[in-house]
């Protein structure tokens, strides 16, 4: 009886043993031609201000809180996708996974540098949240590959919402903000858009079952945002502003704005027919990718001018000329 019901649930949820990938998966073209692993050669100033968006304490801590999760989340994504690459048999997807892993590895190394400075420059209590993150990702790493892939694909769907929000609303989010942190976050988001299909494809190639993927959307996004908000609150407490009415108002505004902008992407990801290929890419992202391609090899990344009205991509014709010569 137990065996029968267990077989029923395995069929309903689409579970199959490891090394038996989803035979119905077909790789289709991405929106971008290539996923490029670029050097993240940011050198953050030692005395960088953790409250890096002028007049926006809560917003600064919100993004810092998300940054704190990345050196725990992104190695987990890399490890999960590495496992998936061994379990599936699809050359173009395996090539995408290699590039995905290259990009995510650059991201978390750079986030780690930034997070160390945030802790050093006034917020040592963030270490408590880091210890909880380490513990949580250790137990998550022991789950089945399907659960880990569903989490990864779900998280990446939410990231796509973050990408559109942060890039399209950059003028209202980051006016006169620190140029290093703004440039770093937006470059990270550009690459997230570039590889947005990979974790989803890996899940579909390995399993493809709808319900575990839907649960993964809520699990992946809720887990990361939960830790991000916890880190934000920890930093606000460190400032001693956690009992102020103004802080409560700012928190409602900032967290509400985040949910308002990101939730539509999560809702669409919960559809059985979801495919991140249907989500468009911001024009600024395409301009950034084209501009970066013209940078001379080994050149330092130019920083975004956060005091400019439109915050254009930080590349110009000079770069193109330099490349052409
Ligand atoms: Fe990333
Ligand atoms: Fe990603």
């Amino acid at each position: 009886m137990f065996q029968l019901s267990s077989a029923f649930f395995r069929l309903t949820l689409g579970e199959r043993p490891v090394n038996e990938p989803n035979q119905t998966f077909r790789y289709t073209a991405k929106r971008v031609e290539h996923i490029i692993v670029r050097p993240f050669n940011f050198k953050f100033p030692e005395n960088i201000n953790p409250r890096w968006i002028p007049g926006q304490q809560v917003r600064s801590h919100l993004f810092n809180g998300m940054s704190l999760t990345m050196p725990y989340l992104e190695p987990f994504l890399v490890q999960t996708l590495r496992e998936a690459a061994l379990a599936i048999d699809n050359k173009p997807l395996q090539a995408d996974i290699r590039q995905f892993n290259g990009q995510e590895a650059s991201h978390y190394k750079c986030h780690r540098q930034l997070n160390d400075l945030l802790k050093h420059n006034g917020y040592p209590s963030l270490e408590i949240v880091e210890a909880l993150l380490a513990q949580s990702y250790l137990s998550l790493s022991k789950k089945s590959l399907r659960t880990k892939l569903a989490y990864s694909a779900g998280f990446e769907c939410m990231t796509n919402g973050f990408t559109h929000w942060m890039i399209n609303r950059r003028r209202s989010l980051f006016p006169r903000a620190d140029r290093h942190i703004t440039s770093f976050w937006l470059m990270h988001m550009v690459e997230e858009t570039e590889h947005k299909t990979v974790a989803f494809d890996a899940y579909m190639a390995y399993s493809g079952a709808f319900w575990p993927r839907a649960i993964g959307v809520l699990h992946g996004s809720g887990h990361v945002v939960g830790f991000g908000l916890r880190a934000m609150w920890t930093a606000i407490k460190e400032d001693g502003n956690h009992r102020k009415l103004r802080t409560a108002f700012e928190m409602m505004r900032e967290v509400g704005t985040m949910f308002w902008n990101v939730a539509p992407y999560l809702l669409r990801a919960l559809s059985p027919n979801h495919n991140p290929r249907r989500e468009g890419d911001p024009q600024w992202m395409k301009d950034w990718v084209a501009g970066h391609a013209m940078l001379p090899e080994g050149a330092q990344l130019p920083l975004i001018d956060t005091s400019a009205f439109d915050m254009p991509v930080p590349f110009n014709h000079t770069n193109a000329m330099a490349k052409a010569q």
Side-chain angles (χ1 to χ4, degrees):
M1 183 63 191
F2 172 76
Q3 276 183 335
L4 259 180
S5 59
S6 140
F8 171 76
F9 280 115
R10 279 168 66 102
L11 276 175
T12 313
L13 296 174
E15 191 172 0
R16 55 177 61 81
V18 177
N19 297 328
E20 266 188 46
N22 176 10
Q23 301 297 339
T24 61
F25 173 78
R26 295 286 174 273
Y27 183 89
T28 52
K30 306 182 286 295
R31 269 188 180 263
V32 292
E33 215 170 312
H34 303 290
I35 297 171
I36 299 162
V37 180
R38 305 174 179 88
F40 268 64
N41 50 10
F42 288 98
K43 182 94 187 83
F44 299 109
E46 289 291 315
N47 63 348
I48 204 157
N49 183 359
R51 292 160 69 154
W52 53 281
I53 311 169
Q56 299 295 342
Q57 172 216 198
V58 171
R59 193 181 303 158
S60 303
H61 290 323
L62 174 61
F63 284 107
N64 293 348
M66 297 306 292
S67 174
L68 200 79
T69 65
M70 296 297 146
Y72 300 88
L73 162 76
E74 290 178 315
F76 166 83
L77 299 178
V78 168
Q79 187 52 39
T80 300
L81 274 281
R82 203 175 276 157
E83 270 181 59
L86 296 173
I88 58 179
D89 181 21
N90 187 299
K91 294 278 176 293
L93 179 53
Q94 284 161 328
D96 281 357
I97 289 175
R98 276 194 295 279
Q99 299 305 97
F100 174 100
N101 283 350
Q103 287 192 335
E104 296 293 22
S106 304
H107 300 169
Y108 76 73
K109 284 174 194 155
C110 210
H111 275 286
R112 193 179 283 149
Q113 276 181 45
L114 175 61
N115 298 347
D116 286 346
L117 289 169
L118 298 176
K119 285 181 284 176
H120 188 259
N121 294 352
Y123 298 91
S125 60
L126 290 176
E127 273 181 19
I128 300 164
V129 186
E130 287 189 312
L132 295 171
L133 276 161
Q135 213 172 35
S136 188
Y137 278 99
L138 182 65
S139 45
L140 199 55
S141 68
K142 293 173 185 155
K143 302 275 183 201
S144 73
L145 181 55
R146 189 184 68 179
T147 299
K148 292 188 285 186
L149 278 172
Y151 176 105
S152 307
F155 168 77
E156 290 280 310
C157 289
M158 180 185 70
T159 309
N160 196 33
F162 266 88
T163 299
H164 283 259
W165 174 42
M166 290 167 72
I167 287 181
N168 293 336
R169 304 270 176 241
R170 64 192 181 280
R171 282 162 291 211
S172 53
L173 283 173
F174 310 119
R176 294 169 287 103
D178 179 273
R179 296 179 66 189
H180 288 87
I181 303 182
T182 306
S183 302
F184 168 49
W185 263 120
L186 293 184
M187 179 174 175
H188 185 170
M189 291 301 108
V190 164
E191 293 199 347
E192 289 299 322
T193 304
E194 217 170 30
H195 72 223
K196 69 184 173 188
T197 53
V198 182
F200 175 84
D201 282 356
Y203 176 81
M204 296 307 282
Y206 181 71
S207 166
F210 169 67
W211 285 108
R213 187 181 69 72
I215 293 166
V217 170
L218 303 175
H219 184 197
S221 48
H223 188 239
V224 178
V225 168
F227 270 111
L229 294 181
R230 189 168 186 155
M232 174 190 82
W233 181 244
T234 303
I236 290 171
K237 272 170 80 179
E238 189 108 48
D239 283 333
N241 289 335
H242 55 300
R243 290 200 181 91
K244 290 186 181 161
L245 196 62
R246 184 194 157 97
T247 305
F249 167 74
E250 278 187 34
M251 274 174 56
M252 278 193 296
R253 186 189 64 199
E254 298 302 327
V255 177
T257 304
M258 177 183 78
F259 278 110
W260 179 256
N261 282 277
V262 172
Y265 291 83
L266 292 181
L267 288 176
R268 289 200 289 278
L270 289 171
S271 155
N273 301 319
H274 174 70
N275 190 323
R277 285 168 177 76
R278 290 200 200 99
E279 303 280 2
D281 293 334
Q283 185 56 46
W284 193 93
M285 171 263 183
K286 294 178 197 167
D287 294 345
W288 192 100
V289 168
H292 186 277
M294 303 308 283
L295 260 189
E297 213 170 304
Q300 190 71 26
L301 277 162
L303 298 177
I304 293 166
D305 181 0
T306 56
S307 59
F309 167 71
D310 197 35
M311 283 194 209
V313 295
F315 310 104
N316 55 34
H317 295 299
T318 321
N319 301 136
M321 299 278 289
K323 178 89 176 180
Q325 280 163 11

